[in-house]
Amino acid sequence: MSRLRCGAFLLAGALRLFGQRPPAAEPPAAPAAEEKPAPIPSETISVTDHELQLDGKTIPYKAAAGTLLIDGDDEKPYGIVFYVAYT
């Protein structure tokens, strides 16, 4: 009888394993929205005035930070470059 109980126990365990539902399928992915390129910002510049004290002399200078558009072969802007200049 011990073997019978052991066999019944193993059979019940096996049936439980095979009787489980498969994992739920993931919902279908939403159709990808048409990606639009980000708009290219306009050229900008910011200029500030400064002074530097060096060997007792005052040296005035300007600091400029800005962006420049890059044109493609079709002469339409497709990129932008950031710059800093000291004059």
Side-chain angles (χ1 to χ4, degrees), residues 3-34:
R3 285 186 179 182
L4 183 59
R5 283 187 181 177
C6 188
F9 179 74
L10 289 174
L11 181 61
L15 289 175
R16 255 189 101 124
L17 281 175
F18 294 112
Q20 291 180 353
R21 287 186 233 156
E26 292 188 24
E34 186 178 318

Side-chain angles (χ1 to χ4, degrees), residues 32-67:
E34 186 178 318
E35 292 185 27
K36 297 179 182 176
I40 297 175
S42 60
E43 289 186 332
T44 59
I45 188 167
S46 176
V47 179
T48 54
D49 293 313
H50 303 273
E51 290 183 347
L52 173 67
Q53 301 291 327
L54 190 61
D55 281 337
K57 296 180 183 178
T58 301
I59 303 171
Y61 69 96
K62 293 181 184 280
T67 55

